[in-house]
Amino acid sequence: MASEALDSFEESDDFQDSGSDYEATIKASKRKKRAVLGPKSPKRPRRKAASRLTSSPRNSPIPSRVYPSPQQQQSSQGTSRQVSPRSMRRVNEESQGISAENIYDAVCSGKSAMVAVVDEWLDSYKRGREVGLLVLINFIVQSCGCKGVVNREMLDSMENAEIISTLTKEFNEDSVNYPLSTPGPQLKRFKAGLCEFAQVVVRSCRNSLIYDEYLFPSLLAMLTGLSDSQVRAFRHTSTLLAMKLMTGLVEVAVIVSVQLQTTQRRHDMENSKKPHDRASDRLEELQATITELREKREELSSMMNATFRGVFVHRYRDRLPEIRVACIEELGKWLKTDPEDFLNDGCLKYLGWTLHDKQSPVRLQCVRALQGLYQEKEFIGRLELFTGRFKERMLSMVLDKDPDVAVEVVNLLLLIHQRMEEGLREEECGHIYPLVYASHRGLASAAGVFLYNKLKSVISSDNQVNESENAALVQILISFYIQSEFHEHGSYLVDSLWGVAGSELRDWETMTAFLLQEAGLLDEEEGALIELMMCAIRQAAQGTPPVGRTQGKKMLSMKDKKIQEQDKRRITTHFIPLMPQLLTKYSADAGKVSLLLKAPLYFNLDMYNSAQWLEKHLDLLLSQVCGIVEKHTEATVLEACTHLVCALCSDTYTFSSRAHLAFSQLVDGLTECFSAYSSDLLQGTADENDLYSASTALKRIAALSCAKDLTGWKLFDPCVELLKSRLESRELDKELMVSALKCAAFHLMWAKVNAVNSRPTEAELKRLKKDVRSFCRVCQTCLPLNQTEIRDQAFELLCDLLLLYSKSSVRSDPALQALVHLPSDTLRSEMAAFLLDFIFTESEDADLDVEGEEEMKITLLQRKRNQLAGYCKLVLYGVLDLTAATDVFKHYNKFFKDFGDIIKETMSKSKLISHVQSAKTVCLSLQQLFSEMLTENHSRQDLCEIRDLGKRLAMSFGIDLHRVRKPLVALHMDGIRFAFRDPQEGEEQLPHVTFLEILSEFSFKLLQQDRAQLAALLKLECPSAALSWPSVKLYQRSLEGRSASRPREQEEGGDVSSHDTPKAKRKRTTAQGSVSSTVRDSWLESSSIHSNLHTPALTSTVQRQPAKLLASGKPTATECDMGNGFTELESEDEFSSGSQMRKVKPVKRRLPSSSLTGASLDQQDLNLHLTLLSLIEDNSAEREEAEIEDYESDSDRDSAYTLPSTRHTSASVLDELFD
């Protein structure tokens, strides 16, 4: 039985090599039947024959031909077999039917009926099975991309290993591609056709030829040998075919088992009858059928056992991820199709181990295979042990680096939670809950489905019959949101649940009922519900995910747009009458009312005019908004009111005049309040209450100025006068002065807008420019103040106004040239000083030692970034000279983490203004830093920091050396003149000569002719006595040539890569005892796996053995493996270094020249041939080795798992897993 055969998979200690896999299982049964077969029985691949394949260096798949388009294939069919045309013709003549070429073309095209192709081949096989098998073998060889051909003589006289060795010599060297690796749609078409062909072959042979003891044994023996080849194309193609054939065999075995059980029941029923009622003929017939079915089952078990042990056990750990994916995919099918034989711990362990695979496609396929198992309720009992062993690993994989894997793992855990009796504990579910806030939308949605099902199960267990299911879900969702402590991220939670709980989140009636009832939710719960409700309104009205979850620009379909319009109409209809009630109830709560004020922004505001009864709700809304403005001074509330005012006052709506009237009346009242106290404030007679009333009124006016033109209220002069008086008296009230600055600035901004839209008189333009000049002087006075809020506001408003009144802003309208205002020299100096004192400093960050320190730091950093961006815009738009950017560039290295992106963008844009001037500005930045270093205590560390900055600035010049030629030459010339300029009084001779060390960082970008020109300039400028100074010599070396382009590394011994244009590298073969061998030895010794087993000689599918081991006299691979008696060998991709693949007997290479025979010479020729072929793919080999040495680079973030070994040694992580 297959179960007995499969039980032996874990106990195959006597298993030795691929050649003997199959032979050990079926040879006994075949030998006694040989006389009956007639023709010669199929060859048995022998272990020693298989080991004759020459072992080429690891990771050297043989390159194959490039596969052309179908049109090219038709024109080249006659030339594709030039290596052995006679053999090919003989095969076709003997077969007198379908050829390997015909089958291959049918598979590639994907247009042929595969059943017809297989039937035609079966007809050929039935006429002559050797010829039919030969056609099938040549089709497999051609599918591997090999241009060699297997002829009848080779099939009769050579072992499989010898045939494979011969085919290896005839591989095409022109390309590394083979059909299964060809990119594009051709790959999918060919792979699908190849898989379909294998399935149809098994299906067509399942009743007859599968038991002929020739076709499938020979075919599987050849595929087993090919799967152990050093050639990647052979290994990949044969493994895929073997796995597909194995799947077909499993399906046939299930059918046979069902037939056997049915026949056995019928036999037992007949046998249970009384003797005189039994039909003896019927019993004999049933017994004969049972015997025949058992023989078929044993035959199938024998073939499945051989394929499993000979191919799967070794290839599921192959270094090629595609091979591992194919193995795991088919294993999942076997487990699901034939659970009686495969669904046991001995087979499940392969899935458990593969969960630790380094490559995400393999992990993904493994998780999908497990999903198929957990979906079946009858499998759950058999999966209990597996779940207990690997649940921790599955929980950790929700943070997998590949989000696609994490998505499938969450779906898998949901199945486990629903199907298993114990499910997941609450602390285990806690691994998944936070993922609803993840940035990857697919992962967040999967976590949302998990959360939704969990919440529904909690609701059903509570048996709440007094309220609706939606109301219960809303309540429990509020509790979850509060407990998750991810406040202000409600939009991400709503988006995660939108696909599965969209109807519940659109239940506006239930939400507003909770909010409007008197004795309902707690205050915290009301706040959470309002936030979630507003997020749901935004999601329904806009139909877009929150920031960070948008994956490109996705155009909404007509269906989505229709749903969006329906949702928007429902929201408007429901909330228009309720919004005044909600604002009335929560008008005193700043947090809640600021959220509620956002709701009308998502309304279909035209509906206010659709019915007369809705207009009263508009009046109520306007009065509520005005009341909220008069009641609150919090910035968030005033900002929300401003956005709503801007929307309601839009001229696109017919009711905008009513909104303008309501808000104008509001501004009248606020202006009157401010004017009542302004005279007292100017005279200094106002008390604290007057000061508070005036500042709050001015703050509300400033907030409304963002959305409404308030120039008609003529508030500019009172505000400026107030600012001047406060600055003179040094009575710096923060709220009052910040609000006055905003009001005055918004007045100037609206005045500029009005000047553009309407043609003002010359007198009005002069008056406006005078106001701008006056306000800039006030802001300049505020810059050095100790009040942070005042000086920050003054700086930001200065940046905006100087840009708004710059030359570039009126370039298209010459009539407004009179409004251009350029900053004075003192203002430029003040703004530059502000950069150095308050932006490029860390002093304020250090003072933050209070609760919420991190949040305050983020807020402070954001404000600094805005200020720096405003200053950089002044430089780029010509308000400030390009040399003003030196105060920014020289902080590029020190503050790269906080401002690196802004500074880099500024340098990039400055090159568009003037490439040469930008380079000179970079040089000037370094000169300023160098001069500052000389005025302070001169230290080598400071010089190294400046050189680091120079190195980073040099990288900003790009890789087009011809384009940056002039700027770089100008930079070097400025630097050389600076280094040798005449010293001032009291200075030592040539104090700046060390600057040449900094300048040398830019030399690697120079062209050769420019290097000679600059070397001549250096000799001209430099005194003869200074030519021998270290700094001068270092700079000279940097100019000598590209080979000397790393002066700093030569001086300091640094290990910095060259800046030359990268070139394609070719890995050099290393002799025994070389540096490469030594390094790899140390790498193996430091491995996490310490086994007392010696590493055998390795093929190209595993890591190369260090040369030291070959010469050390240690036991060979065969000795080690046979002595220790284990069967399954590790692949380096899944297991740590020191692991190995299946063994190939090493070729003796140290024979004396006099004893070399012709055969050994041929073997050496093959050796050399394989070595040369392996060089073609060295680039890919280097990349794959880099991946192996960096397991963390493509595995989970939080854990570094190593795959367990199947050997029973101390190195195994889970070696006692399934005792």
Side-chain angles (χ1 to χ4, degrees):
M1 296 294 291
S3 59
E4 299 174 356
L6 293 172
D7 287 340
S8 65
F9 292 167
E10 301 173 80
E11 303 169 1
S12 52
D13 289 345
D14 58 342
F15 172 71
Q16 295 178 358
D17 200 63
S18 65
S20 60
D21 294 343
Y22 196 80
E23 181 182 18
T25 310
I26 65 174
K27 183 183 289 185
S29 62
K30 299 297 182 296
R31 186 182 293 120
K32 62 184 180 182
K33 300 179 181 180
R34 187 170 298 174
V36 184
L37 293 176
K40 184 178 179 181
S41 63
K43 305 181 300 299
R44 307 295 181 217
R46 293 197 295 266
R47 173 172 53 84
K48 293 184 178 180
S51 65
R52 292 172 193 167
L53 279 173
T54 306
S55 183
S56 67
R58 179 177 63 85
N59 191 28
S60 301
I62 305 304
S64 63
R65 63 178 174 180
V66 179
Y67 278 81
S69 62
Q71 293 81 1
Q72 293 172 327
Q73 288 179 346
Q74 293 174 2
S75 62
S76 62
Q77 284 178 1
T79 60
S80 61
R81 288 291 181 267
Q82 294 179 359
V83 175
S84 182
R86 295 179 181 176
S87 302
M88 191 66 237
R89 282 198 301 271
R90 183 161 56 251
V91 169
N92 289 333
E93 290 170 0
E94 290 177 357
S95 65
Q96 296 180 356
I98 192 170
S99 65
E101 288 278 358
N102 301 141
I103 301 177
Y104 179 78
D105 293 339
V107 169
C108 285
S109 66
K111 299 178 182 179
S112 304
M114 201 57 67
V115 176
V117 174
V118 174
D119 287 344
E120 189 176 352
W121 171 79
L122 284 175
D123 292 339
S124 173
Y125 178 80
K126 290 173 183 177
R127 287 195 297 268
R129 65 180 188 176
E130 288 84 2
V131 175
L133 177 64
L134 200 59
V135 170
L136 192 58
I137 290 175
N138 279 309
F139 161 69
I140 295 172
V141 171
Q142 189 173 358
S143 298
C144 295
C146 179
K147 61 184 180 180
V149 175
V150 180
N151 55 38
R152 184 67 176 272
E153 289 78 10
M154 294 171 63
L155 190 66
D156 293 338
S157 61
M158 298 174 67
E159 298 290 344
N160 283 342
E162 296 171 334
I163 294 174
I164 295 170
S165 177
T166 303
L167 293 173
T168 302
K169 298 178 183 178
E170 300 185 5
F171 237 99
N172 186 10
E173 302 180 31
D174 297 335
S175 172
V176 297
N177 286 335
Y178 53 95
L180 279 181
S181 69
T182 304
Q186 184 179 354
L187 167 62
K188 293 183 179 179
R189 189 167 59 247
F190 178 80
K191 184 177 179 181
L194 191 64
C195 296
E196 184 185 2
F197 177 79
Q199 294 166 358
V200 173
V201 166
V202 178
R203 199 179 307 128
S204 301
C205 300
R206 64 185 179 185
N207 294 323
S208 57
L209 295 180
I210 202 171
Y211 309 110
D212 75 344
E213 300 181 350
Y214 179 80
L215 174 60
F216 275 82
S218 302
L219 179 61
L220 292 174
M222 175 60 73
L223 291 175
T224 302
L226 286 171
S227 70
D228 195 40
S229 171
Q230 304 166 5
V231 182
R232 176 180 301 183
F234 282 157
R235 210 167 62 250
H236 187 183
T237 309
S238 61
T239 301
L240 179 62
L241 280 171
M243 293 298 97
K244 290 297 178 182
L245 290 174
M246 174 78 168
T247 301
L249 292 175
V250 171
E251 293 173 354
V252 174
V254 171
I255 295 174
V256 172
S257 297
V258 172
Q259 293 175 347
L260 180 60
Q261 293 173 4
T262 304
T263 308
Q264 186 67 51
R265 281 198 306 269
R266 292 165 64 185
H267 179 275
D268 294 341
M269 289 178 59
E270 188 70 26
N271 197 35
S272 63
K273 295 180 180 179
K274 295 180 180 180
H276 61 275
D277 293 332
R278 295 175 189 167
S280 57
D281 295 340
R282 177 69 172 163
L283 277 176
E284 291 177 1
E285 180 183 351
L286 291 173
Q287 186 61 47
T289 303
I290 291 173
T291 303
E292 180 184 357
L293 290 174
R294 283 178 177 171
E295 290 179 355
K296 289 182 177 181
R297 192 66 173 85
E298 290 176 1
E299 182 73 17
L300 292 170
S301 299
S302 174
M303 289 187 287
M304 290 191 299
N305 184 22
T307 307
F308 190 93
R309 293 171 56 194
V311 180
F312 175 84
V313 167
H314 303 282
R315 296 282 73 79
Y316 92 98
R317 294 161 300 184
D318 194 276
R319 71 166 294 119
L320 194 65
E322 291 84 353
I323 295 179
R324 304 201 298 273
V325 168
C327 291
I328 296 303
E329 180 181 3
E330 299 308 312
L331 176 62
K333 294 179 181 179
W334 307 338
L335 293 167
K336 197 170 181 178
T337 304
D338 190 6
E340 294 299 324
D341 292 322
F342 286 92
L343 192 57
N344 52 58
D345 299 335
C347 294
L348 285 171
K349 66 181 181 182
Y350 297 110
L351 291 180
W353 289 337
T354 315
L355 288 173
H356 299 262
D357 196 281
K358 171 189 151 185
Q359 296 294 330
S360 59
V362 186
R363 299 195 301 273
L364 180 63
Q365 191 58 56
C366 181
V367 173
R368 286 175 176 168
L370 289 172
Q371 287 177 357
L373 299 179
Y374 280 99
Q375 285 172 352
E376 306 294 333
K377 291 184 179 180
E378 58 270 20
F379 293 172
I380 298 302
R382 305 187 185 195
L383 293 169
E384 288 182 355
L385 178 59
F386 176 86
T387 307
R389 296 288 189 179
F390 292 101
K391 185 194 291 184
E392 183 179 353
R393 170 59 183 166
M394 289 186 279
L395 288 170
S396 69
M397 288 177 70
V398 298
L399 297 178
D400 196 277
K401 188 173 183 179
D402 188 341
D404 294 333
V405 177
V407 169
E408 297 299 333
V409 170
V410 172
N411 295 332
L412 173 62
L413 291 172
L414 177 59
L415 286 172
I416 293 175
H417 185 63
Q418 292 175 335
R419 297 288 194 273
M420 306 288 289
E421 291 184 5
E422 301 84 1
L424 297 178
R425 300 190 304 272
E426 190 61 32
E427 58 268 22
E428 293 172 339
C429 294
H431 288 77
I432 305 171
Y433 294 153
L435 297 179
V436 295
Y437 299 102
S439 59
H440 188 272
R441 197 179 189 193
L443 178 58
S445 298
V449 174
F450 185 93
L451 174 63
Y452 177 78
N453 283 274
K454 181 68 176 178
L455 297 182
K456 295 287 280 188
S457 64
V458 172
I459 293 172
S460 60
S461 63
D462 290 346
N463 295 321
Q464 298 176 354
V465 295
N466 296 328
E467 54 184 341
S468 68
E469 191 172 339
N470 282 7
L473 181 65
V474 169
Q475 280 190 316
I476 197 171
L477 186 60
I478 292 170
S479 300
F480 171 80
Y481 183 56
I482 293 173
Q483 293 173 10
S484 66
E485 298 181 353
F486 284 95
H487 300 160
E488 301 180 1
H489 292 82
S491 58
Y492 294 91
L493 175 60
V494 169
D495 183 62
S496 300
L497 294 168
W498 197 252
V500 67
S503 59
E504 291 90 341
L505 292 172
R506 291 185 180 94
D507 191 356
W508 318 121
E509 292 80 6
T510 301
M511 296 181 183
T512 51
F514 272 123
L515 293 174
L516 292 175
Q517 64 185 4
E518 293 301 326
L521 304 174
L522 299 176
D523 181 71
E524 186 180 16
E525 292 175 337
E526 288 179 339
L529 176 57
I530 290 174
E531 184 176 354
L532 292 176
M533 183 180 71
M534 295 310 304
C535 294
I537 290 174
R538 187 206 67 82
Q539 185 90 0
Q542 293 185 343
T544 56
V547 177
R549 284 193 182 170
T550 306
Q551 298 176 351
K553 292 185 178 180
K554 182 181 178 182
M555 300 297 294
L556 292 178
S557 63
M558 294 302 296
K559 181 180 178 181
D560 292 336
K561 289 181 180 179
K562 186 176 180 180
I563 294 174
Q564 183 180 340
E565 288 299 324
Q566 292 175 351
D567 287 338
K568 201 168 184 179
R569 193 178 304 113
R570 284 188 60 238
I571 291 169
T572 307
T573 305
H574 179 76
F575 280 96
I576 278 182
L578 295 180
M579 186 53 60
Q581 301 178 40
L582 292 170
L583 291 177
T584 301
K585 181 176 181 180
Y586 297 105
S587 61
D589 192 316
K592 297 184 179 69
V593 79
S594 61
L595 290 171
L596 289 171
L597 285 169
K598 296 178 182 178
L601 300 176
Y602 304 110
F603 289 177
N604 187 359
L605 294 176
D606 287 325
M607 291 186 66
Y608 276 113
N609 293 328
S610 63
Q612 189 173 2
W613 66 275
L614 290 175
E615 293 182 1
K616 67 176 183 179
H617 294 297
L618 175 62
D619 295 335
L620 288 173
L621 177 63
L622 292 173
S623 62
Q624 284 290 339
V625 174
C626 293
I628 291 171
V629 172
E630 292 175 341
K631 187 181 297 184
H632 288 277
T633 58
E634 287 83 359
T636 54
V637 178
L638 295 178
E639 183 181 355
C641 290
T642 301
H643 287 297
L644 186 53
V645 168
C646 186
L648 295 175
C649 292
S650 174
D651 294 336
T652 58
Y653 304 113
T654 57
F655 58 78
S656 60
S657 58
R658 301 168 67 179
H660 277 295
L661 178 61
F663 293 126
S664 296
Q665 293 173 353
L666 173 63
V667 176
D668 286 340
L670 295 173
T671 305
E672 185 178 349
C673 177
F674 171 68
S675 301
Y677 300 106
S678 61
S679 59
D680 293 338
L681 291 172
L682 291 174
Q683 295 172 7
T685 58
D687 57 14
E688 292 184 1
N689 292 332
D690 296 342
L691 181 63
Y692 175 78
S693 299
S695 61
T696 52
L698 202 57
K699 185 174 184 179
R700 296 182 178 112
I701 294 172
L704 292 173
S705 299
C706 297
K708 188 173 175 60
D709 181 9
L710 302 183
T711 54
W713 279 264
K714 300 184 186 304
L715 292 170
F716 178 79
D717 290 336
C719 289
V720 171
E721 291 299 325
L722 180 61
L723 288 169
K724 289 180 178 179
S725 66
R726 287 281 159 174
L727 289 171
E728 290 174 0
S729 62
R730 289 294 172 180
E731 296 178 3
L732 305 177
D733 182 75
K734 178 182 67 175
E735 293 287 342
L736 182 64
M737 293 191 67
V738 169
S739 301
L741 285 169
K742 284 184 177 180
C743 282
F746 282 125
H747 177 92
L748 296 176
M749 293 177 188
W750 281 111
K752 174 66 184 298
V753 173
N754 295 333
V756 173
N757 295 333
S758 61
R759 296 298 176 183
T761 63
E762 188 175 350
E764 290 174 339
L765 292 178
K766 288 183 179 179
R767 170 66 181 172
L768 181 55
K769 185 172 182 178
K770 180 182 178 182
D771 290 343
V772 173
R773 190 182 302 114
S774 173
F775 182 74
C776 288
R777 283 198 292 266
V778 171
C779 290
Q780 180 180 342
T781 309
C782 295
L783 290 181
L785 296 179
N786 290 327
Q787 292 285 343
T788 304
E789 291 82 359
I790 298 175
R791 69 167 181 255
D792 286 349
Q793 191 65 64
F795 185 83
E796 292 168 9
L797 293 173
L798 263 177
C799 292
D800 292 337
L801 284 173
L802 289 175
L803 192 60
L804 192 62
Y805 285 89
S806 64
K807 288 182 179 180
S808 59
S809 66
V810 298
R811 189 173 298 156
S812 60
D813 196 348
L816 299 179
Q817 289 290 336
L819 289 180
V820 174
H821 175 73
L822 297 177
S824 62
D825 293 339
T826 56
L827 179 56
R828 296 168 191 260
S829 302
E830 288 287 351
M831 295 184 75
F834 184 92
L835 278 184
L836 301 177
D837 295 338
F838 304 115
I839 295 180
F840 293 116
T841 179
E842 299 176 357
S843 58
E844 294 188 31
D845 293 351
D847 297 338
L848 296 176
D849 191 17
V850 293
E851 188 177 354
E853 174 185 358
E854 194 66 29
E855 185 176 353
M856 293 178 65
K857 283 184 177 181
I858 294 174
T859 304
L860 179 61
L861 176 61
Q862 188 60 44
R863 185 149 200 174
K864 286 183 175 182
R865 286 174 59 85
N866 290 337
Q867 292 165 355
L868 179 60
Y871 184 85
C872 291
K873 281 195 286 187
L874 294 180
V875 174
L876 297 177
Y877 283 92
V879 179
L880 300 176
D881 294 335
L882 199 55
T883 54
T886 57
D887 295 319
V888 178
F889 292 170
K890 61 188 180 183
H891 295 97
Y892 186 36
N893 213 29
K894 186 175 181 181
F895 293 91
F896 182 81
K897 180 180 178 182
D898 295 336
F899 311 116
D901 55 338
I902 299 175
I903 301 175
K904 184 177 181 180
E905 184 67 14
T906 304
M907 283 193 289
S908 177
K909 297 294 184 184
S910 67
K911 293 180 175 66
L912 301 178
I913 300 173
S914 173
H915 225 315
V916 174
Q917 192 61 33
S918 175
K920 291 190 173 200
T921 304
V922 169
C923 186
L924 182 59
S925 304
L926 297 172
Q927 292 173 13
Q928 290 178 359
L929 282 176
F930 186 82
S931 300
E932 293 172 8
M933 182 191 72
L934 293 183
T935 58
E936 301 170 0
N937 294 329
H938 181 78
S939 67
R940 189 73 185 176
Q941 182 178 358
D942 295 334
L943 181 62
C944 290
E945 291 178 359
I946 301 176
R947 289 187 65 180
D948 287 335
L949 173 61
K951 186 172 186 177
R952 177 160 283 183
L953 291 173
M955 299 304 296
S956 68
F957 281 85
I959 60 175
D960 189 350
L961 302 187
H962 290 278
R963 184 180 178 186
V964 299
R965 179 181 180 184
K966 288 184 179 179
L968 277 173
V969 170
L971 182 146
H972 277 270
M973 293 177 70
D974 281 4
I976 292 172
R977 294 191 182 101
F978 174 77
F980 296 110
R981 73 178 184 182
D982 296 334
Q984 299 179 358
E985 294 183 5
E987 289 184 344
E988 59 183 9
Q989 187 179 8
L990 299 178
H992 304 117
V993 72
T994 316
F995 185 77
L996 293 176
E997 297 184 21
I998 303 170
L999 199 59
S1000 65
E1001 298 292 350
F1002 296 84
S1003 298
F1004 72 94
K1005 294 276 186 181
L1006 291 169
L1007 296 178
Q1008 193 61 41
Q1009 54 267 41
D1010 297 331
R1011 294 171 185 267
Q1013 177 186 350
L1014 291 172
L1017 178 64
L1018 178 68
K1019 292 182 180 179
L1020 183 64
E1021 295 285 342
C1022 178
S1024 57
L1027 287 174
S1028 60
W1029 291 4
S1031 299
V1032 179
K1033 295 179 70 175
L1034 187 148
Y1035 183 64
Q1036 283 180 323
R1037 285 199 303 271
S1038 72
L1039 296 176
E1040 286 176 358
R1042 299 295 289 272
S1043 60
S1045 63
R1046 292 186 291 178
R1048 184 176 178 184
E1049 289 85 331
Q1050 294 172 2
E1051 177 193 12
E1052 299 178 6
D1055 189 18
V1056 182
S1057 62
S1058 172
H1059 303 287
D1060 293 344
T1061 303
K1063 301 178 181 178
K1065 296 181 181 179
R1066 179 168 294 241
K1067 192 187 300 181
R1068 292 176 296 181
T1069 54
T1070 310
Q1072 296 182 0
S1074 66
V1075 177
S1076 175
S1077 301
T1078 306
V1079 172
R1080 197 168 293 280
D1081 269 338
S1082 63
W1083 187 78
L1084 287 171
E1085 291 170 1
S1086 63
S1087 166
S1088 60
I1089 290 185
H1090 304 284
S1091 175
N1092 56 359
L1093 301 172
H1094 303 302
T1095 305
L1098 306 176
T1099 67
S1100 65
T1101 63
V1102 293
Q1103 185 170 351
R1104 279 191 281 266
Q1105 184 182 7
K1108 272 184 181 178
L1109 298 180
L1110 297 176
S1112 61
K1114 294 183 179 180
T1116 63
T1118 306
E1119 292 170 352
C1120 288
D1121 290 349
M1122 292 177 64
N1124 289 277
F1126 56 82
T1127 63
E1128 302 174 5
L1129 312 178
E1130 300 90 356
S1131 165
E1132 65 183 358
D1133 258 358
E1134 291 73 39
F1135 299 83
S1136 300
S1137 55
S1139 58
Q1140 57 240 9
M1141 288 287 296
R1142 301 172 64 191
K1143 304 171 291 299
V1144 174
K1145 188 174 180 180
V1147 179
K1148 296 180 180 180
R1149 303 184 181 182
R1150 295 179 182 152
L1151 295 176
S1153 58
S1154 58
S1155 64
L1156 289 176
T1157 63
S1160 61
L1161 285 172
D1162 291 340
Q1163 191 66 44
Q1164 285 190 343
D1165 290 341
L1166 174 60
N1167 243 359
L1168 179 60
H1169 187 60
L1170 291 177
T1171 303
L1172 292 175
L1173 290 176
S1174 69
L1175 295 178
I1176 294 180
E1177 287 195 280
D1178 277 342
N1179 288 337
S1180 61
E1182 292 178 356
R1183 287 195 298 270
E1184 291 172 359
E1185 288 184 4
E1187 291 175 357
I1188 294 168
E1189 296 176 8
D1190 185 15
Y1191 178 84
E1192 287 293 330
S1193 65
D1194 194 36
S1195 188
D1196 301 340
R1197 297 186 186 95
D1198 299 332
S1199 56
Y1201 290 95
T1202 56
L1203 281 178
S1205 169
T1206 53
R1207 300 176 178 179
H1208 298 286
T1209 68
S1210 60
S1212 177
V1213 179
L1214 300 173
D1215 48 14
E1216 301 298 329
L1217 182 57
F1218 296 106
D1219 291 341

